[in-house]
Amino acid sequence: MRRQVLACRVENHSGVLTHITGLFASRGFNIDSLSVGETDNPRFSRVTIVCRGDERILEQIRKQLGKLIDVIKVINLSEMESVERELMLVRVNVGPSKRAEVMEIAEVFRAKVVDVGAKELMIEISGKRAKVDAFIDLMRPYGIKEMARTGEVALARGPKPSAAGG
Amino acid sequence: MRRQVLACRVENHSGVLTHITGLFASRGFNIDSLSVGETDNPRFSRVTIVCRGDERILEQIRKQLGKLIDVIKVINLSEMESVERELMLVRVNVGPSKRAEVMEIAEVFRAKVVDVGAKELMIEISGKRAKVDAFIDLMRPYGIKEMARTGEVALARGPKPSAAGG
């Protein structure tokens, strides 16, 4: 049950997300995270899906995704070298006495404090999934009030410069 | 046609995304961006939806979302003070001669170069939507090969510290 990352280029229509998620749901295949954002061309959106499950079934889903009329292209980024990133906003239970302590941890993670409340801090962090997970583990003892993760987006790495040209 | 940001706390089941996006699609209501990520409790996910359209219809959708069995809570973050952030990965067409130029712009935006290819750079940027849009505008003349935006996530700001307590 390897983690799989699929990226789809889709028509920016209402309904396309329902078709895509429906393919997963009809097989009881749970999606860990999904994110849909605009592309440079307003006609298209890019959907990134992270999921885990039987590889054979996922391969079937991938083929059927490619047959959907609104889906232009599907790439399995798990099969190539890629860069994956996500962003999280998190509200942590921190009163004035512990504020400096939490801000120090945030600094180590290059996370940013984006809001300060009477008894809480809101922190923005971005990076690889493992980094975000590690930060959550460190914040948990203080008390996490609420969090919002974007889910991962990913792009394949480009061809490397040759030693001579680099 | 104000931009609206809805945040839903949902059961982490296959099928729930299909139900949610189906409510929008059945009214021909297009979603600008959507992101689904895990929460601190593995039972639940958080879905953030950004859309634009007739406010009366959106209010109907919002009420129906609240009635879905897998949806625990719906908040309209456009009605309160909130922090909104997104992340983008972008591959820009940049050969060695223009690399320094593009890296300077990236630095101003506190964006990070995450991969260097023979004829391209991959850059990670996060922040408010307007900042990401401005960065795209600056990269466009070089040639954007591919981009992946997470779509926005948002959290409501907490109560502010009183002047005495702050």
Side-chain angles (χ1 to χ4, degrees):
Chain A
M1 296 241 292
R2 205 157 55 97
R3 235 177 109 257
Q4 307 259 1
V5 182
L6 296 181
C8 312
R9 189 175 174 82
V10 305
E11 296 269 358
N12 188 8
H13 286 165
S14 75
V16 55
L17 269 180
T18 313
H19 297 150
I20 292 179
T21 57
L23 277 183
F24 286 83
S26 65
R27 283 164 184 78
F29 212 96
N30 202 16
I31 292 172
D32 281 349
S33 79
L34 179 146
S35 70
V36 192
E38 299 139 275
T39 64
D40 199 32
N41 182 337
R43 250 191 75 193
F44 304 114
S45 300
R46 186 183 173 102
V47 182
T48 312
I49 298 165
V50 181
C51 54
R52 223 180 295 257
D54 187 283
E55 291 193 26
R56 213 171 34 85
I57 297 177
L58 188 71
E59 184 53 27
Q60 286 171 13
I61 294 178
R62 202 173 66 83
K63 279 187 185 149
Q64 291 195 284
L65 278 176
K67 287 180 191 160
L68 289 177
I69 192 156
D70 289 331
V71 175
I72 315 296
K73 198 176 168 188
V74 184
I75 314 171
N76 188 346
L77 286 160
S78 329
E79 287 167 358
M80 51 192 86
E81 265 217 85
S82 66
V83 176
E84 297 170 10
R85 290 291 186 274
E86 69 171 313
L87 180 141
M88 174 179 72
L89 288 173
V90 58
R91 287 168 58 205
V92 187
N93 226 333
V94 194
S97 64
K98 297 271 185 188
R99 222 176 262 156
E101 194 176 305
V102 170
M103 286 169 78
E104 263 174 35
I105 302 175
E107 207 175 304
V108 173
F109 280 76
R110 297 186 197 278
K112 291 175 210 157
V113 174
V114 288
D115 193 47
V116 182
K119 290 179 181 168
E120 64 175 73
L121 288 177
M122 194 194 296
I123 300 172
E124 170 195 346
I125 180 169
S126 57
K128 290 183 191 169
R129 184 189 162 79
K131 174 183 159 185
V132 175
D133 284 343
F135 186 72
I136 294 173
D137 285 343
L138 284 167
M139 290 301 111
R140 203 165 277 132
Y142 297 97
I144 291 174
K145 289 187 153 180
E146 200 180 10
M147 63 161 84
R149 291 175 85 147
T150 57
E152 282 164 292
V153 287
L155 287 182
R157 289 181 188 272
K160 290 291 151 264
S162 66
Chain B
M1 295 243 291
R2 205 157 55 98
R3 234 177 110 259
Q4 306 260 1
V5 182
L6 296 181
C8 312
R9 189 176 175 81
V10 305
E11 295 270 357
N12 188 7
H13 286 165
S14 75
V16 53
L17 269 181
T18 313
H19 297 150
I20 292 179
T21 57
L23 277 184
F24 286 82
S26 64
R27 283 167 184 77
F29 213 96
N30 202 17
I31 292 173
D32 281 351
S33 79
L34 179 146
S35 69
V36 191
E38 298 138 277
T39 64
D40 199 31
N41 182 336
R43 250 191 74 194
F44 304 114
S45 300
R46 185 184 173 102
V47 183
T48 311
I49 299 164
V50 180
C51 56
R52 224 182 293 259
D54 187 284
E55 290 193 26
R56 211 172 34 87
I57 296 176
L58 188 71
E59 183 54 28
Q60 287 170 14
I61 294 177
R62 202 174 65 82
K63 280 186 184 150
Q64 291 193 285
L65 278 175
K67 286 179 193 159
L68 289 177
I69 193 156
D70 289 331
V71 175
I72 315 295
K73 199 177 167 189
V74 185
I75 314 172
N76 188 345
L77 285 161
S78 328
E79 287 167 357
M80 51 191 86
E81 265 215 87
S82 66
V83 176
E84 297 169 11
R85 290 289 184 276
E86 69 171 314
L87 181 140
M88 174 179 71
L89 288 173
V90 59
R91 285 169 59 205
V92 187
N93 225 333
V94 194
S97 65
K98 297 271 185 188
R99 223 176 260 157
E101 195 176 303
V102 169
M103 286 170 78
E104 259 175 36
I105 301 175
E107 208 177 304
V108 173
F109 279 77
R110 298 184 195 279
K112 291 175 212 159
V113 174
V114 288
D115 193 46
V116 181
K119 290 179 180 167
E120 65 174 75
L121 288 176
M122 195 194 295
I123 300 171
E124 171 196 345
I125 180 168
S126 57
K128 291 183 190 168
R129 182 189 164 78
K131 174 183 161 187
V132 175
D133 284 341
F135 187 72
I136 294 172
D137 285 343
L138 284 167
M139 289 302 111
R140 204 165 278 133
Y142 297 98
I144 291 174
K145 288 186 153 181
E146 200 180 11
M147 62 161 86
R149 292 175 84 147
T150 58
E152 284 164 291
V153 286
L155 287 181
R157 289 181 187 273
K160 290 291 150 264
S162 65

